[in-house]
Amino acid sequence: MPPLSWLTWLSAVLPVVVLLVLMVRFRWSGGKAGAVAWFVALLVARFLYGMDWPFAALASLKGLWSTVFVLYIIWGAMAMYYLVHLTGATEMMTATFSRLTAGNRLLQLLVLGWVFSSFIQGVLGFGMPVAIVGPLLMNLGFPAPLAVATVLIGHSWAVTFGSLGASFSMLQRLSGLPTAQLGFYAGIFIGLCAYLVGFSICHLYGGWKGVREGLGAVLVIATSLALVANVMANTVPQVGSFVAGLVTLGLLGVLLTRTTWQKRTAAPTSVVAAEGASAPVGGGRRMGFHLAFAPYYALIAVVLGVYLTPLKDLLGSYTVGIPFPRAATAFGAVSEATAAYAPIKVLTAPGTMIFVSVLLGYLIYSLAGVWRRGAGRALAAGVVAHAVPATVTLLTMSMMAAVMTDSGMLRLLATGLARVTGRAYALVAPLVGVLGAFMTGSNTNSNLLFTGFQVEIARLLGLSTVIVCAMQTAGGTIGTMLCPMNVALGTSTCGIIGQEGRIIRRTLVYGVVQALTIGLVGYALIALAG
Amino acid sequence: MAESPLTGARENLKERLSAPVLTWVSFLFVVAFSVTYVGLARRGSFLTELGLGFIALLTALIAYFG
């Protein structure tokens, strides 16, 4: 890295500022803004960070390769969306969810956008909640921007202990800290995030009036999620979000079907027909809720069947990754040689699970006679039309992030932050996690980038390494609601491509409030720990 | 200020071309990736710079049509 100075620090932040200004202020699409930001990052890296052109090419290729995994999910999720949409199953689901929640719109947002998306995050992650639940909410009649923002916020708390613990495992492995201690503090921060997420969704839906209306529901749901996640964080952190989501869904199932709780939590404001246990579908046949939901049942079955059984290890041995040579900048920022960069476990990748579920869903719909002849062409056309803009967005943004990471810009940004704040660093430690997730689109990658750095800084400043690392992953989890890659995933699957800036404007406030709250609580815990 | 007919026609053309251009750009990234990767594998090859230039061209098209 070049020496830390105002010039180098401000130049490191420039690509991010350009990206945000173009998307938020000028309402450019993610692809267009990402393209310009990549050029800016390239020039800064070349002329101020000593990155030669071959290294810049290598970094950009690494960025491109890392999108393959996410694009696989996007194309699959879009196929799932069109499969369900074209049979008319969405109308059926809309009617059922509407009836179950007595038409209470806020409760629908909380149950689907928060609890259901947390459950999906628990087993799959990697943007799946956004890709699956966003369109589902939209089909329930919610405006697409609200649907996307809700799921982005709703699933975020579950990221650290989601994806079968990928982010937490990365944190633990790189910090070398005891799992029990790390799980304890991470559980506290993540539990706190669960409450904040619930209130954020209520506020997003109806301002402070929404918070008052949803208070009861949020307290019940968040307590269940946080409690179970904390118990699991101290025992089997890998399934923390999955078990928390499952238990809470079960609890809500009981509460919603056997009580009139939903009517008491808020005034019903139904805009969707609440009647009917069946609905007409494209093929002229009528289907029940379980048939309509079949592709999602298939997805849950496939995921559980693979991830929670020995099949995971058996199938997970087939990986595809590409080798990259070593490269270094003139200032010594090194990208080590790797035999298989960002390997993809082809048979257990979330994209594969979705495509298998789409196939199973298609077979079930066909056997039940609800799949129209010729609908396959409409499905393919819809998928291509929506996947291309999302693809170019991801390509440009991940190239920019990779150039920033490999040139040392990201590390210099964090170092500058630590230098300025001193012992008050604890207050901003989560922001480093947020930054990592914002740039890379993943809590796991944020932990990969910054865990070592956080440990280093904590030791240097005499702070608790365990608490600082727990704040790192909490920041990373919050950052997933803001990162352009997830936002682009949401806008593409909900058909509002080009509105990424609008979505980020909505989630940014809640993300910052959550990060600052975690910072304050962490600062207090460090002070108490002495 | 009112939009001139020429500007309007250009914007219309840009809008019409946007979807097919972006589709082609997406697929051409595979070619650009391959060329650059071969260049990196053969250290010092001109293909690295050529590939990076190709990526830059495709990215510029995204910036214009995106």
Side-chain angles (χ1 to χ4, degrees):
Chain A
M1 286 191 306
L4 180 61
S5 67
W6 278 109
L7 175 69
T8 52
W9 196 86
L10 287 175
S11 62
V13 89
L14 190 62
V16 183
V17 171
V18 166
L19 182 75
L20 284 177
V21 168
L22 292 178
M23 285 175 71
V24 177
R25 174 73 185 83
F26 293 98
R27 300 178 182 227
W28 281 22
S29 68
K32 205 173 165 79
V36 173
W38 176 69
F39 278 116
V40 173
L42 209 60
L43 292 175
V44 172
R46 176 70 186 89
F47 296 109
L48 287 170
Y49 283 73
M51 180 182 247
D52 58 19
W53 292 124
F55 191 4
L58 185 147
S60 300
L61 288 199
K62 282 166 77 177
L64 289 176
W65 174 253
S66 61
T67 61
V68 173
F69 183 85
V70 184
L71 288 175
Y72 192 22
I73 295 175
I74 291 182
W75 285 70
M78 283 180 187
M80 172 76 93
Y81 170 72
Y82 277 99
L83 175 79
V84 174
H85 186 68
L86 289 169
T87 56
T90 44
E91 284 87 345
M92 178 62 236
M93 285 187 258
T94 303
T96 304
F97 278 118
S98 189
R99 182 165 44 82
L100 202 61
T101 51
N104 185 329
R105 307 291 281 158
L106 180 54
L107 200 56
Q108 287 169 359
L109 273 186
L110 292 173
V111 172
L112 287 171
W114 184 16
V115 186
F116 187 53
S117 68
S118 300
F119 168 74
I120 294 177
Q121 179 62 36
V123 275
L124 279 177
F126 307 107
M128 282 283 294
V130 185
I132 289 175
V133 185
L136 202 59
L137 283 174
M138 213 173 71
N139 288 326
L140 278 165
F142 289 100
L146 176 65
V148 175
T150 298
V151 188
L152 281 167
I153 296 169
H155 89 289
S156 66
W157 80 277
V159 176
T160 281
F161 295 120
S163 312
L164 298 177
S167 306
F168 185 78
S169 300
M170 183 66 77
L171 181 79
Q172 199 276 322
R173 215 148 30 97
L174 293 178
S175 66
L177 295 166
T179 306
Q181 282 185 32
L182 206 52
F184 175 76
Y185 283 107
I188 290 176
F189 293 132
I190 297 303
L192 182 60
C193 283
Y195 282 92
L196 295 172
V197 156
F199 289 122
S200 299
I201 292 174
C202 292
H203 189 268
L204 180 72
Y205 174 72
W208 291 109
K209 187 169 172 275
V211 175
R212 279 196 299 277
E213 283 183 358
L215 184 66
V218 169
L219 289 178
V220 170
I221 294 171
T223 303
S224 170
L225 290 174
L227 207 64
V228 179
N230 264 278
V231 170
M232 300 314 295
N234 286 285
T235 49
V236 195
Q238 287 77 6
V239 289
S241 299
F242 167 64
V243 177
L246 196 63
V247 168
T248 310
L249 276 178
L251 176 74
L252 285 173
V254 172
L255 284 173
L256 292 174
T257 50
R258 299 197 179 171
T259 70
T260 54
W261 180 60
Q262 76 275 26
K263 287 170 188 162
R264 284 187 271 112
T265 50
T269 50
S270 174
V271 295
V272 182
E275 292 301 316
S278 64
V281 294
R285 300 275 299 272
R286 301 171 83 83
M287 68 162 90
F289 174 80
H290 294 297
L291 177 59
F293 213 71
Y296 296 104
Y297 284 140
L299 180 64
I300 293 170
V302 169
V303 168
L304 295 185
V306 172
Y307 275 30
L308 299 182
T309 66
L311 272 178
K312 188 190 173 198
D313 294 327
L314 190 72
L315 301 176
S317 55
Y318 299 99
T319 60
V320 176
I322 52 173
F324 278 109
R326 183 183 187 278
T329 66
F331 292 102
V334 176
S335 167
E336 292 296 349
T338 173
Y341 177 74
I344 300 170
K345 293 179 177 175
V346 183
L347 297 179
T348 57
T352 305
M353 310 268 173
I354 306 174
F355 273 112
V356 169
S357 309
V358 167
L359 189 64
L360 289 172
Y362 162 75
L363 288 174
I364 295 168
Y365 283 157
S366 295
L367 288 172
V370 295
W371 180 254
R372 280 177 302 175
R373 286 170 68 89
R377 190 170 294 176
L379 185 147
V383 170
V384 171
H386 282 93
V388 166
T391 302
V392 296
T393 299
L394 285 168
L395 293 177
T396 57
M397 286 195 186
S398 55
M399 283 199 300
M400 179 202 71
V403 168
M404 286 188 69
T405 305
D406 279 359
S407 63
M409 289 157 84
L410 213 53
R411 202 162 183 85
L412 192 123
L413 269 178
T415 308
L417 203 61
R419 184 79 60 86
V420 169
T421 52
R423 275 190 69 82
Y425 175 74
L427 287 170
V428 296
L431 291 177
V432 175
V434 171
L435 177 71
F438 179 83
M439 295 309 301
T440 63
S442 145
N443 189 181
T444 307
N445 288 344
S446 175
N447 289 350
L448 173 70
L449 273 181
F450 287 126
T451 299
F453 169 81
Q454 296 270 26
V455 170
E456 212 173 289
I457 293 287
R459 285 187 182 141
L460 199 70
L461 299 171
L463 306 172
S464 160
T465 48
V466 176
I467 298 178
V468 169
C469 281
M471 290 161 86
Q472 153 64 31
T473 198
T477 214
I478 293 165
T480 56
M481 77 169 80
L482 308 169
C483 66
M485 285 192 211
N486 274 356
V487 175
L489 187 61
T491 55
S492 54
T493 49
C494 285
I496 49 166
I497 293 158
Q499 295 194 33
E500 291 84 5
R502 189 178 170 195
I503 304 295
I504 291 180
R505 266 205 304 278
R506 287 188 170 203
T507 57
L508 187 64
V509 179
Y510 302 110
V512 169
V513 168
Q514 284 190 34
L516 291 178
T517 308
I518 296 295
L520 278 171
V521 173
Y523 186 77
L525 284 174
I526 288 174
L528 282 173
Chain B
M1 204 160 65
E3 194 181 64
S4 74
L6 191 63
T7 313
R10 200 170 56 201
E11 284 303 311
N12 274 343
L13 185 66
K14 187 177 158 186
E15 205 164 301
R16 254 187 323 148
L17 286 177
S18 176
V21 167
L22 290 180
T23 305
W24 275 104
V25 163
S26 304
F27 291 117
L28 285 173
F29 258 100
V30 178
V31 180
F33 184 101
S34 308
V35 171
T36 317
Y37 191 77
V38 170
L40 281 171
R42 300 177 183 176
R43 286 174 179 273
S45 166
F46 76 101
L47 287 175
T48 307
E49 278 83 359
L50 183 73
L52 184 63
F54 194 11
I55 292 173
L57 176 69
L58 296 176
T59 309
L61 286 171
I62 294 173
Y64 186 72
F65 287 101

